[in-house]
Amino acid sequence: PPPGGAGGRAPRAAVRMADLEDRGLLGEGSFGEVRRVRLRASGEEFALKAMLKSWIMRERKEAAVMAERAIMDRLDHPGVVRLCFTFQDESSLYMATEVCACGELYEQIARRGASGLPPAAARHYAAQVVAILEYLEAEGVCHRDLKPENLLLGESKTGETVVKICDFGLSVALEKGSTLSDKQGTWAYWAPEMFSAARYGKEVDMWSLGIILYIILSGRHPFDDEGLSDAAM
């Protein structure tokens, strides 16, 4: 059944694949793919993440998928991509989120190349991400996979570009003072303690933001030089 939604949002009536019109591919990965879809009855558009059940079982991701849904269902912040409904069929589990019409922050950085984004734009984006991380901290959530590809751009009612964090597939809910030891996320954005035997907490997301801010300003990763191998990096 669909989740009830955070912040008092009314539950949505059950949705099936037949109720949706495919509007094209948004992205894909080992889990399956994300497609833009339209609800035939209302015309609303969503980003539909399809996770193959065979992949979930093979990779033993059952608990992680349930945790992702539970975390997204209770988060209610304009800087967090909203989970709208979920359903399943014989082959896949589906999670539908709001569509962020302006794409990924990564795409803006790639277009600018080595010049990076103007400092004013960097401040604008970084300040928003800090506010989102402050909210996640208060909710006890560690994202663990912050990177420009997981920062989507939308538009506010006033026409301002707003940042929204997506992809909570590696996120965890932590009690106050709790720490973790498993290595998750994209290693180029890992905090130093994630490379060692040290335990870590929600503060690793701030390290990832530091890497992102460097990339926004310079168009390059702080520890990556031309021709450098992954091992050397």
Side-chain angles (χ1 to χ4, degrees), residues 3 11 29-30 52 66 72 89 102 112 115 121-124 134 153 165 175 202 210 222 224-225 231:
S30 59
L52 294 167
M66 291 182 66
M72 290 193 71
D89 58 23
C102 301
R112 293 281 300 192
S115 62
R123 283 197 302 272
H124 175 72
E134 185 177 34
L153 301 177
I165 291 179
E175 298 291 336
K202 295 187 289 290
D224 189 17
D225 291 319

Side-chain angles (χ1 to χ4, degrees), residues 46-232:
F46 305 94
L48 186 68
K49 180 179 181 180
M51 293 171 283
L52 294 167
K53 290 182 177 179
S54 58
W55 173 83
I56 293 171
M57 299 297 290
R58 183 175 65 250
E59 301 295 326
R60 299 180 180 178
K61 295 287 187 180
E62 297 94 331
V65 170
M66 291 182 66
E68 178 183 11
R69 172 178 164 169
I71 287 172
M72 290 193 71
D73 191 29
R74 71 184 177 88
L75 295 178
D76 185 22
H77 188 278
V80 173
V81 169
R82 186 176 73 257
L83 176 63
C84 301
F85 58 87
T86 65
F87 65 98
Q88 62 180 297
D89 58 23
E90 290 183 0
S91 64
S92 301
L93 297 177
Y94 301 93
M95 296 175 66
T97 63
E98 63 179 308
V99 172
C100 295
C102 301
E104 301 172 357
L105 178 59
Y106 174 81
E107 294 166 347
Q108 281 208 13
I109 297 169
R111 281 197 294 269
R112 293 281 300 192
S115 62
L117 298 183
R123 283 197 302 272
H124 175 72
Y125 293 137
Q128 291 185 60
V129 179
V130 168
I132 302 166
L133 290 181
E134 185 177 34
Y135 168 75
L136 294 180
E137 163 79 20
E139 292 292 319
V141 173
C142 181
H143 187 279
R144 295 202 296 183
D145 198 22
L146 285 184
K147 53 186 176 182
E149 295 91 332
N150 285 340
L151 298 178
L152 303 183
L153 301 177
E155 193 173 279
S156 70
K157 293 180 180 178
T158 60
E160 180 185 51
T161 302
V162 293
V163 178
K164 291 178 178 283
I165 291 179
C166 71
D167 196 348
F168 285 79
L170 297 176
S171 301
V172 290
L174 287 175
E175 298 291 336
K176 187 174 182 179
S178 297
T179 57
L180 301 161
S181 61
D182 55 325
K183 312 305 182 189
Q184 298 285 355
T186 305
W187 67 263
Y189 299 88
W190 279 4
E193 53 265 48
M194 295 186 75
F195 284 98
S196 69
R199 297 186 69 84
Y200 62 90
K202 295 187 289 290
E203 66 277 1
V204 297
D205 286 341
M206 287 300 293
W207 174 278
S208 300
L209 175 57
I211 300 289
I212 292 168
L213 183 55
Y214 189 102
I215 293 173
I216 289 173
L217 288 167
S218 69
R220 60 176 292 269
H221 192 284
F223 304 119
D224 189 17
D225 291 319
E226 188 174 350
L228 199 64
S229 69
D230 284 353

